[in-house]
Amino acid sequence: MARSVFRFLSRQSDTVELASERHMLRLPRFQDYRQWYALRSESRRFLVPWEPTWRNDELTESSFRARVLRNEQEFSSGQAVPLLVFTRAENMLLGGLTIGYIRRGAAQCCMVGYWMGERHAGQGHMHGALKLAITYIFSSLQLHRIEAACIPDNTRSIRLLEKAGFQQEGYLREYLKINGEWRDHLMFSLLAADRQS
């Protein structure tokens, strides 16, 4: 079996690309709109139960462009690294993974959130993307702790986090408003030291 090779490519100081043999993660670009629109549209019923309520203009090109600009600002300010997940060979959009709420100082931690297009779910793509993100967080960003929260009945997400080495830490009551309702979440974490043990 081929050994995955993790590479961290920076073409410029204002961008980031994470690549393995199978996957590539990078910041969103305006020209991603068609792929993004198609994947989000066809996956709507699959995604809606796990996401904040979609706005009426959620899938419009102007909304996507505003999202890309906001993502660039968050990345430039060091607050977040919002990434789209592609197959490396075909450059086909699979989903998204955001390294957000980056906190420096005494905390040195972040949150990860992710989504996967329905037709690509259950094929190991998000596990591959998450492995790339974890390595980037602990090596390039040099953070100490990664947090992730998921709804208790989202068994796919729980399995993904556990497979990636995250440990469940607690139960957060009415933590996030998801699909119009305040939902309880499970909190998971991964420490830099966990990867060395």
Side-chain angles (χ1 to χ4, degrees):
M1 186 171 83
R3 186 169 61 89
S4 288
V5 178
F6 295 97
R7 294 192 298 141
F8 304 94
L9 310 173
S10 272
R11 290 185 185 155
Q12 306 169 26
S13 59
D14 63 347
T15 191
V16 62
E17 289 187 5
L18 314 179
S20 67
E21 292 175 355
R22 192 178 180 202
H23 300 104
M24 192 265 292
L25 284 65
R26 64 164 172 76
L27 299 175
R29 302 170 183 160
F30 292 144
Q31 57 265 39
D32 295 322
Y33 173 68
R34 288 190 182 200
Q35 275 205 80
W36 180 88
Y37 172 82
L39 189 59
R40 296 284 292 179
S41 295
E42 71 183 44
S43 304
R44 184 170 188 147
R45 281 193 302 175
F46 178 71
L47 295 172
V48 159
W50 318 112
E51 296 187 349
T53 302
W54 288 28
R55 300 183 318 273
N56 291 335
D57 69 343
E58 185 77 24
L59 298 176
T60 64
E61 187 168 6
S62 61
S63 178
F64 181 77
R65 290 178 70 83
R67 179 189 303 266
V68 170
L69 291 173
R70 185 173 65 251
N71 289 166
E72 289 174 354
Q73 292 170 349
E74 290 170 348
F75 176 69
S76 295
S77 66
Q79 296 175 305
V81 185
L83 302 164
L84 292 179
V85 179
F86 297 87
T87 59
R88 186 163 178 194
E90 304 87 3
N91 199 36
M92 178 173 58
L93 180 64
L94 303 170
L97 186 152
T98 298
I99 302 164
Y101 301 104
I102 296 172
R103 301 186 295 284
R104 295 293 182 177
Q108 296 295 320
C109 67
C110 67
M111 291 281 296
V112 292
Y114 40 80
W115 65 273
M116 179 61 57
E118 183 173 15
R119 64 186 153 110
H120 305 302
Q123 300 173 40
H125 293 301
M126 191 51 71
H127 183 251
L130 188 55
K131 280 172 45 178
L132 279 169
I134 289 168
T135 302
Y136 173 73
I137 290 165
F138 288 141
S139 62
S140 296
L141 296 182
Q142 296 186 334
L143 295 177
H144 165 71
R145 172 184 169 90
I146 307 170
E147 298 174 347
C150 69
I151 295 170
D153 55 359
N154 190 343
T155 54
R156 278 189 177 192
S157 190
I158 291 170
R159 282 197 308 264
L160 169 68
L161 292 170
E162 290 175 343
K163 187 176 179 182
F166 283 74
Q167 296 181 32
Q168 184 179 329
E169 286 191 335
Y171 193 92
L172 307 173
R173 297 183 306 139
E174 297 189 6
Y175 181 61
L176 295 173
K177 197 169 191 177
I178 301 296
N179 197 23
E181 295 181 14
W182 288 104
R183 301 292 306 271
D184 296 348
H185 281 66
L186 300 174
M187 174 61 80
F188 289 82
S189 73
L190 181 68
L191 306 181
D194 296 335
R195 307 214 337 134
Q196 299 158 7
S197 56

